Structures are given as structure tokens and as C-alpha cells.
Amino acid sequence: MKRRYLTDLDGTLLQSNATLSDYTVRTLTEALEQDVIISYATARSYQSSTTATSQINWRYPVVLYNGSMLLDPLTGKVLGGHWLGTDVSNEVIELGRTMNLAPFLFALDGDDRERVLHEKLSRYGDTEFYASRPGDPRFAEVEHLSCPPDYRTMIVTYIGRREEVEPLFRAVADRYGPAVHLHFMLDNYIKDHYFLEISHPLANKEHGLKLWCEQVGCQPEDVTVFGDNLNDIGMFKRAGRRMAVANAHRELKLLASEVIGSNDEDGVARVIEADLRGYNEQD
């Protein structure tokens, strides 16, 4: 039976410095050349994830923006997704404005191109996030942020210290409840800063896994998933084999089939290599 793997990127496949080790690149490349189905599910965009993993020639659909969008890396075609309504997007932006917070708006324009709209950046978390993506053509500064009527919102993202962002998290949760998906997480790279992401209620990795399985022709129980953080819980609830890296959040480890080596120990690649070796020996 053909093996299928879906891995998170940051904190899981990527090392702590947000790069891929030579060993991981070599192992995944060899596996893909043997027709093993491997792809990733990430909170990143396609632009950002491609930059971080450019050494690997991905050939199967990728799950982006925490499940908001599925994309074919060979053609660049959007294969599906779940979009937050324009009215709700703008209401959330205005709610943040009452707390002196302005987000990044991640959306698709009318031509299915990724866009990131934002107001003038001045807060540390925002400027650090922007600086980590030099020359990224998606970003555009606007005087007063709102979602254009022909855009489809993937995620509204706020970045800040916990005491800055948590009140907005609670306010959005109180106002919208299950009508939105909220993800509130400590960032891997900006010290002491949190990400608050607001998206469609089905825009999460659980439903991203479901869409991915439909594209590659399998069921979630046929898939081995890898993860490290709370946004991977949805995948872990549905997948048949669930691998948490050693540096994973305690809650994710409780859902795991197995705890493997950390992201800095090539945990994902070592599992795939061992599986492939065992599979070939059986042949």
C-alpha cells in the first residue's frame, strides 16, 4: 500500500532556524522520487512555505494558512478552501481598531493571487514579521485597512504580546463563537509575541487534511501526520498515525501514536526513511 505523509513545517519539519537540514532534503527527495506521497500542512502562505522549503520539489497538494486553502504546487492552481466572509472580516478589523490593533489581512484577489494588506507598520511584532519576508510581493500597505469586496479572506492575523492580543481574542470569541475559527499561539520566532488568527470555522488543519485526502485519493486514517503545536490537533484527531516531535506541545503529545525526534534531530525524515527501508525490505 502506498504510504502517505502530511507534515507541519515550523517546529516540525523545519529546524529551529526555519531551515531544512541537508539530511531532511535528501531523505524527502529520495522518497518522492520513489512515488511516496509527501506534502505539508502549514500556517504559512505558499510564498513563505515555498521559500523555506525550496530545496524540495513538492508534487502533491499543499495545505496552507492552517487549512484555509489547498493548492497544487505544480500548477499554482487553488484547489479549494474556506473563506471568511467579507462582512465578518471587516467587523473583526474594526473591533481590533477599538483596541489600537491593526492586523495583516491574508486574502486571495479576484485572480486567485495571494495578497497581504496592512496599514503602516510601527509595532515591534508586525515589523519583525514583515522584515522576515524581504521582497515578498504579496504585501501592500494601505491607508485604512478593509477587505475589498472581490477578495476572499483566508486569515486575519494580529501579532502582539499576550496582554495586548488576548483581550481581542476574548472579544472575538464572545461575539462570534463557533462562527469563526480562532487560533491563539506563541510565535516560534518573535520573542514573547503571540499570533491571533481569525478565519472561517472550517479553516483548520482537520478539514485541510480532509480536503487533501480527497485530492490524493485516500482516507485520513491512511495518513501519517507530523506536528508540534496546538494548530496540529485537528490533524491528530483524524489521522491514522500521529507523530509528535519531541519538542511538541504537551497536549499534542497526549494525542500522538508516538513521540519522535525533535525538529532539530530530523525526526520527520528519520521516520520516513525507516518506513521506506522497511517497505523496501518487504518487497
Side-chain angles (χ1 to χ4, degrees):
M1 180 174 143
K2 184 170 282 193
R3 293 187 178 274
R4 300 167 178 87
Y5 301 92
L6 192 62
T7 180
D8 172 56
L9 292 183
D10 293 282
T12 304
L13 189 69
L14 296 177
Q15 300 174 108
S16 296
N17 62 1
T19 66
L20 293 173
S21 73
D22 291 341
Y23 170 78
T24 288
V25 172
R26 183 173 65 254
T27 301
L28 268 62
T29 297
E30 290 174 357
L32 284 164
E33 288 173 351
Q34 295 182 48
D35 292 328
V36 177
I37 298 174
I38 306 173
S39 192
Y40 60 81
T42 180
R44 289 177 179 250
S45 69
Y46 185 55
Q47 173 82 24
S48 174
S49 61
T50 299
T51 299
T53 65
S54 60
Q55 305 99 308
I56 297 175
N57 294 320
W58 303 102
R59 62 187 68 175
Y60 297 102
V62 295
V63 181
L64 304 168
Y65 295 103
N66 272 332
S68 295
M69 184 172 74
L70 195 72
L71 183 138
D72 183 342
L74 297 177
T75 65
K77 180 181 178 182
V78 176
L79 301 173
H82 301 286
W83 328 114
L84 188 66
T86 302
D87 290 345
V88 175
S89 300
N90 287 329
E91 288 170 8
V92 167
I93 292 169
E94 290 306 315
L95 184 58
R97 207 180 299 280
T98 67
M99 301 181 185
N100 296 315
L101 296 172
F104 292 93
L105 175 71
F106 292 84
L108 292 177
D109 68 14
D111 296 317
D112 275 354
R113 293 175 297 190
E114 293 181 72
R115 302 295 189 188
V116 185
L117 304 183
H118 61 88
E119 295 181 1
K120 184 177 178 59
L121 304 177
S122 58
R123 302 173 68 251
Y124 177 77
D126 295 337
T127 57
E128 285 295 295
F129 178 75
Y130 180 78
S132 70
R133 289 151 173 79
D136 192 325
R138 298 171 301 147
F139 285 77
E141 181 180 315
V142 296
E143 184 174 352
H144 186 85
L145 180 63
S146 65
C147 182
D150 62 335
Y151 277 40
R152 287 162 291 163
T153 298
M154 292 176 289
I155 297 180
V156 180
T157 298
Y158 289 89
I159 306 171
R161 294 185 178 275
R162 183 170 193 136
E163 64 271 18
E164 296 171 326
V165 181
E166 189 168 20
L168 179 58
F169 166 68
R170 298 190 182 284
V172 173
D174 288 344
R175 177 175 295 190
Y176 296 102
V180 299
H181 176 71
L182 293 173
H183 185 61
F184 187 43
M185 181 179 72
L186 182 66
D187 184 54
N188 285 325
Y189 306 114
I190 307 174
K191 183 176 173 57
D192 297 328
H193 276 65
Y194 284 73
F195 272 55
L196 170 60
E197 298 174 336
I198 302 105
S199 55
H200 186 279
L202 297 183
N204 54 64
K205 289 190 180 181
E206 178 179 359
H207 289 89
L209 171 61
K210 181 175 180 293
L211 291 174
W212 186 81
C213 288
E214 291 171 0
Q215 290 291 327
V216 302
C218 69
Q219 297 299 318
E221 54 265 30
D222 301 325
V223 183
T224 296
V225 297
F226 302 90
D228 77 302
N229 219 321
L230 297 179
N231 61 332
D232 298 313
I233 284 177
M235 291 198 304
F236 273 50
K237 287 181 177 178
R238 294 290 299 272
R241 187 175 177 225
R242 306 164 303 281
M243 302 296 201
V245 287
N247 53 291
H249 191 284
R250 181 181 63 85
E251 191 171 338
L252 197 70
K253 289 180 178 178
L254 293 175
L255 296 172
S257 308
E258 184 179 339
V259 177
I260 62 174
S262 74
N263 63 320
D264 289 322
E265 297 168 329
D266 298 308
V268 173
R270 294 192 184 281
V271 168
I272 293 174
E273 182 183 50
D275 284 353
L276 196 58
R277 188 186 310 119
Y279 187 73
N280 290 337
E281 287 173 357
Q282 289 176 12
D283 290 346

